[in-house]
Amino acid sequence: MKFSDNSMSAVLLCSYMGINNDDAYKPLTLKEWNELLDSVIEHGQQPSVVMDPSQSFLRETDCSQAYIERIKRLMSRAGTVAFQLDELEGKGIDIVTQFDADYPVLMKRRLKKKTPPVLFYSGDIGLAKKIGIGVAGSRNVDAEGVEFARKLVEKAAAERLVVYSGGAKGVDSIAEKAAVESGSAAISFVADSLISKIRKKEILDAVVNRKCLLLSDVRPDVGFSAARAMNRNKYIYASSYGTFVVASDYNKGGTWAGAAEAMKNEWTKVLVWNHGGYEGNRRLIEKGAVPYELSEAPVFELLTRKEEKFQQVDLFSFAKEMAETKAEEAGQAASETGKEDSGQTKPETGEEDSGQTKPETRKEDSGQTKPETGEEKVQAKPEAGEEKVQTKPETGKEDSGQTKPETVEEKVQTKPETGRTKSESLPDTETDLYPIIAPYVMEHIGEGMTKEEAAEAFHVAKGQMDAWLKRLCRDSRLKCVKGLYVKRS
């Protein structure tokens, strides 16, 4: 195996290769690793800077002596780790880091700082870049659920979609086997020993024939753990164009937790078998998952269809609605003040008028369907599952056959009617949305975004988003680190 210096730094600092249980120094946690990367980027360096034996970078950034010693000890394992990696390669196991071109692109893009720095794998790593569906479900699935899972995968395979799953007994294994038998491929994020897994003849044959890819975020000889089983769920959802839940318990178990986490973070579309026999399925649909039943409709078409639960945030509509609400409140307060000054008692009907529902046109504007994120758009139906997922250029919105979303400037020019007269127009926030937009951006910017990502996520023209981000920086609420806008600590 050949690694770049950045890749080797990730292996040495984040994996348990060459570390025994009784060793005093442990690898960096994901949080510690991200903090180190932030510091490296902020100072215009590469992660490989920590390979310098003098550790001058760590000293210059005021790291503690204990931390510096820990890094030095972890980096000193280079020889031992290189030898162990060669051994793994002889067993059919390779390694890929977040700095490598072969790293699963969708997972890295969606998970951001939750991305595992290192993945061990066996099989064709190129399979992890193919468009596919995720399949999740209980180990204890009934015969009807087994049949549904098999037919779903066969339908997806006919459309040249691969299957992402977790390799567990029950729904996972059924789906993966059906994918291979149907001529597609299975990408499995395992929660037990990768070495033990590839010793099974059926799996080894599929791996050799490039019909199966096994991935693990821990050392290949480490066995099963409940924590790993729960953690792999995010990898399945983040890698797929949409994940189907076949059978789930209610409010317990890995299937429920994985689906709930994916919906909360909006990693991908979550579709649930609309079957009354599983309470967990019903409750996930109530929480916003897309109900699904087998039909003649293409699976790929369903995955790329815009759904209300998987929308971008339309900041303009949000800000306009907030401004309208403030205007109404101000008008109501002025009206009440005028009545008090005239000495008249407020009539009963006035209470009803002040609490009336907002005009229908405004509701529709603020609740309109928002387009999918650019990372999930494709120009055409996948051909043999070979397409790599790429960020869609700005002009691609027209090529997708979907109506191009309006920018903030276009919406200002075609402002929908709200039932107000000209004298009752919105306050100054209509022309300066910043006071309303700023707290919303701060709440939803997460671990940080580039201006392009922010414009896409908040459904705002790039120029306007750039102006708001710079203003947030001037107000000392955000800072720009190598093009990434992050919250100030």
Side-chain angles (χ1 to χ4, degrees):
M1 298 182 190
K2 293 183 179 180
F3 299 98
S4 67
D5 288 344
N6 285 342
S7 295
M8 183 54 75
S9 68
V11 174
L12 293 173
L13 293 179
C14 302
S15 79
Y16 271 84
M17 297 292 293
I19 293 180
N20 299 317
N21 292 332
D22 55 351
D23 285 345
Y25 294 95
K26 304 299 182 185
L28 300 184
T29 64
L30 186 57
K31 181 176 183 294
E32 290 173 327
W33 170 246
N34 283 320
E35 288 173 348
L36 175 61
L37 288 185
D38 287 344
S39 177
V40 166
I41 293 172
E42 184 177 358
H43 290 82
Q45 298 290 336
Q46 293 290 323
S48 58
V49 70
V50 297
M51 299 184 76
D52 178 7
S54 69
Q55 296 299 338
S56 58
F57 170 76
L58 298 180
R59 299 183 193 282
E60 291 170 1
T61 51
D62 297 325
C63 292
S64 68
Q65 186 58 42
Y67 181 80
I68 294 174
E69 184 61 27
R70 180 184 176 193
I71 297 297
K72 290 176 66 175
R73 291 288 295 271
L74 290 173
M75 300 304 294
S76 69
R77 297 157 35 239
T80 301
V81 169
F83 178 75
Q84 291 186 356
L85 290 176
D86 284 340
E87 283 188 328
L88 287 178
E89 187 176 19
K91 296 176 181 179
I93 297 174
D94 293 299
I95 194 169
V96 63
T97 78
Q98 65 185 103
F99 303 114
D100 300 322
D102 287 336
Y103 195 92
V105 60
L106 269 186
M107 188 170 80
K108 179 179 178 180
R109 186 181 300 159
R110 290 172 173 172
L111 293 183
K112 299 185 183 345
K113 290 193 174 183
K114 294 182 180 180
T115 300
V118 175
L119 288 173
F120 296 87
Y121 70 92
S122 181
D124 180 6
I125 191 64
L127 292 175
K129 290 187 176 181
K130 292 190 176 182
I131 298 172
I133 65 170
V135 179
S138 171
R139 295 170 179 262
N140 302 315
V141 62
D142 59 21
E144 192 176 359
V146 169
E147 186 64 15
F148 170 83
R150 184 178 293 114
K151 288 183 177 179
L152 169 65
V153 172
E154 289 173 353
K155 184 175 178 63
E159 298 178 37
R160 296 182 174 87
L161 301 173
V162 298
V163 171
Y164 293 88
S165 198
K169 293 180 180 179
V171 170
D172 290 10
S173 296
I174 293 165
E176 292 173 8
K177 183 178 180 181
V180 174
E181 292 177 348
S182 300
S184 183
I187 296 89
S188 180
F189 291 94
V190 301
D192 51 3
S193 169
L194 183 58
I195 290 178
S196 299
K197 196 84 170 178
I198 61 174
R199 286 174 180 167
K200 298 178 180 179
K201 185 179 185 305
E202 182 180 9
I203 293 177
L204 181 58
D205 289 344
V207 168
V208 171
N209 292 320
R210 297 186 174 182
K211 293 295 182 182
C212 181
L213 170 66
L214 304 177
L215 296 129
S216 172
D217 61 348
V218 301
R219 202 172 62 191
D221 60 338
V222 175
F224 175 86
S225 73
R228 286 183 62 196
M230 297 294 284
N231 201 45
R232 67 173 170 194
N233 290 325
K234 62 171 63 71
Y235 307 152
I236 297 169
Y237 284 91
S239 298
S240 71
Y241 261 54
T243 294
F244 293 80
V245 176
V246 177
S248 174
D249 293 325
Y250 170 53
N251 209 28
K252 65 179 181 179
T255 302
W256 172 273
E261 182 183 27
M263 287 192 290
K264 178 181 178 182
N265 291 281
E266 297 185 352
W267 287 324
T268 191
K269 184 176 289 188
V270 179
L271 307 100
V272 177
W273 183 27
N274 193 12
H275 186 276
Y278 296 102
E279 183 182 6
N281 289 30
R282 296 197 307 272
R283 296 302 184 95
L284 285 173
I285 292 172
E286 290 174 2
K287 285 173 65 70
V290 179
Y292 177 76
E293 296 179 19
L294 290 170
S295 67
E296 296 299 322
V299 174
F300 182 75
E301 180 181 299
L302 178 62
L303 297 180
T304 54
R305 180 191 305 162
K306 290 188 291 185
E307 301 285 350
E308 186 174 356
K309 291 297 179 180
F310 302 89
Q311 303 167 343
Q312 294 170 314
V313 178
D314 187 343
L315 276 183
F316 181 82
S317 295
F318 167 80
K320 187 170 68 60
E321 183 177 4
M322 291 292 292
E324 290 173 350
T325 300
K326 289 184 177 181
E328 289 177 353
E329 292 174 350
Q332 179 182 342
S335 176
E336 291 176 354
T337 301
K339 289 173 182 177
E340 290 175 1
D341 293 341
S342 63
Q344 296 178 355
T345 303
K346 182 179 179 182
E348 188 70 22
T349 55
E351 295 177 1
E352 298 173 358
D353 294 339
S354 65
Q356 64 185 354
T357 305
K358 295 179 183 178
E360 189 64 21
T361 54
R362 185 166 64 253
K363 280 186 177 179
E364 293 174 356
D365 183 69
S366 63
Q368 62 186 309
T369 302
K370 303 159 193 158
E372 297 171 338
T373 56
E375 70 186 30
E376 296 171 333
K377 291 186 180 179
V378 293
Q379 294 182 345
K381 185 174 181 179
E383 189 66 35
E386 295 296 335
E387 292 86 340
K388 294 185 179 180
V389 179
Q390 298 178 348
T391 302
K392 192 172 181 71
E394 199 63 24
T395 56
K397 295 177 182 176
E398 300 172 1
D399 297 337
S400 65
Q402 301 174 355
T403 304
K404 181 181 178 181
E406 296 175 321
T407 62
V408 171
E409 291 82 354
E410 291 169 338
K411 287 194 175 185
V412 170
Q413 295 170 3
T414 58
K415 175 187 169 185
E417 294 181 6
T418 61
R420 285 190 176 88
T421 64
K422 186 174 182 179
S423 62
E424 297 173 318
S425 58
L426 297 178
D428 289 342
T429 48
E430 175 93 346
T431 55
D432 185 9
L433 302 179
Y434 178 77
I436 297 173
I437 296 299
Y440 201 85
V441 172
M442 293 300 296
E443 180 181 355
H444 293 83
I445 201 166
E447 299 293 339
M449 296 182 184
T450 64
K451 65 181 179 183
E452 290 81 8
E453 291 172 337
E456 183 111 35
F458 296 123
H459 192 191
V460 173
K462 288 184 179 179
Q464 179 63 75
M465 196 72 246
D466 183 43
W468 282 335
L469 290 172
K470 288 179 178 177
R471 191 166 173 183
L472 284 166
C473 289
R474 290 197 299 271
D475 290 347
S476 299
R477 302 174 76 173
L478 293 180
K479 62 180 178 180
C480 183
V481 181
K482 294 295 181 178
L484 189 71
Y485 289 88
V486 297
K487 296 179 183 178
R488 285 187 179 275
S489 55

